[in-house]
């Protein structure tokens, strides 16, 4: 958060840094107090006013609103952030990290993960596998049987597994 504070201090009109800082404020504390909630909301509102057309900004602002239970506003922002094609892989990974740490809606998370997988498949197959495992574990955790079965059908064909994951571990997750 210190780097984001510096980025905003150096360029107060940087909507992405502002919106990201708002989301990170929420994720950096297990139980954010009222002051943190207000600061995050303020960052999100400012960022959206500064650059209402930035898809990345919309995703961070939507994450803040969703966390703050402003569900209608979050839905509206997510629907306006439909085209993820202009986002780079590192930007998507940052959004994924925030969405995961805030434990946000699975459908919104899946959409960003899917786009990241489609980019990573062409440039970094190990990262694509890591993202598929992330999506798989998330689907299992939320009881999304069809989605987890789809991922399992991909995973079970792999010879190499990302990180320290093993086929046995993932099998246990799937059948637990």
């Amino acid at each position: 958060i210190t780097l984001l504070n510096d980025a905003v201090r150096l360029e107060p009109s940087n909507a992405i840094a502002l919106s990201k800082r708002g989301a990170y404020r929420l994720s950096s504390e297990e139980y954010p107090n009222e002051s943190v909630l207000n600061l995050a909301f303020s960052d999100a509102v400012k960022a959206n006013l500064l650059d209402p057309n930035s898809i990345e900004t919309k995703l961070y602002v939507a994450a803040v609103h969703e966390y703050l239970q402003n569900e209608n506003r979050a839905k509206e922002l997510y629907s306006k952030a439909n085209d993820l094609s202009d986002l780079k892989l590192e930007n998507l990974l940052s959004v994924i990290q925030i969405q995961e740490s805030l434990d946000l809606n699975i459908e919104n998370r899946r959409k960003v993960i899917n786009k990241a997988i489609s980019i990573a498949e062409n440039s970094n197959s190990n990262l694509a596998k890591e993202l598929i495992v992330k999506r798989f574990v998330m689907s299992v955790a939320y009881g999304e049987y069809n989605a987890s079965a789809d991922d399992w059908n991909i995973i079970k064909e792999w010879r190499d597994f990302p990180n320290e994951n093993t086929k046995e571990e993932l099998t246990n997750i799937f059948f637990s």
Side-chain angles (χ1 to χ4, degrees), residues 106-107 110 136 138-150 174:
I106 188 171
E107 289 307 316
R110 182 177 285 120
F136 168 72
M138 178 182 72
S139 296
V140 169
Y142 283 87
E144 300 266 332
Y145 176 76
N146 290 335
S148 57
D150 290 343
F174 184 63

Side-chain angles (χ1 to χ4, degrees), residues 152 155 161-173:
W152 177 248
I155 292 168
F161 291 84
N163 295 333
E164 287 109 35
N165 297 107
T166 65
K167 191 170 191 172
E168 291 76 28
E169 285 177 337
L170 297 173
T171 302
N172 289 337
I173 290 171

Side-chain angles (χ1 to χ4, degrees), residues 97-146:
Q97 179 186 5
I98 284 291
Q99 289 179 324
E100 183 178 16
S101 67
L102 295 176
D103 194 24
L104 299 180
N105 175 289
I106 188 171
E107 289 307 316
N108 296 325
R109 291 167 60 188
R110 182 177 285 120
K111 180 180 170 189
V112 178
I113 292 171
N114 288 346
K115 181 60 181 174
I117 290 169
S118 72
I119 294 171
E121 285 175 331
N122 298 323
S123 61
N124 186 337
S125 63
N126 199 49
L127 177 59
K129 287 180 177 181
E130 287 177 32
L131 291 166
I132 291 168
V133 168
K134 182 182 291 288
R135 184 179 64 192
F136 168 72
V137 170
M138 178 182 72
S139 296
V140 169
Y142 283 87
E144 300 266 332
Y145 176 76
N146 290 335

Side-chain angles (χ1 to χ4, degrees), residues 12-19 43-59 61 73 77:
S13 62
N14 184 333
I16 292 173
L18 260 171
S19 61
D43 282 348
V45 169
K46 283 183 214 172
N48 199 47
L49 290 171
L50 285 169
D51 192 355
N53 298 318
S54 165
I55 299 300
E56 187 175 1
T57 298
K58 283 180 189 154
L59 289 171
V61 172
R73 183 68 177 134
L77 287 161

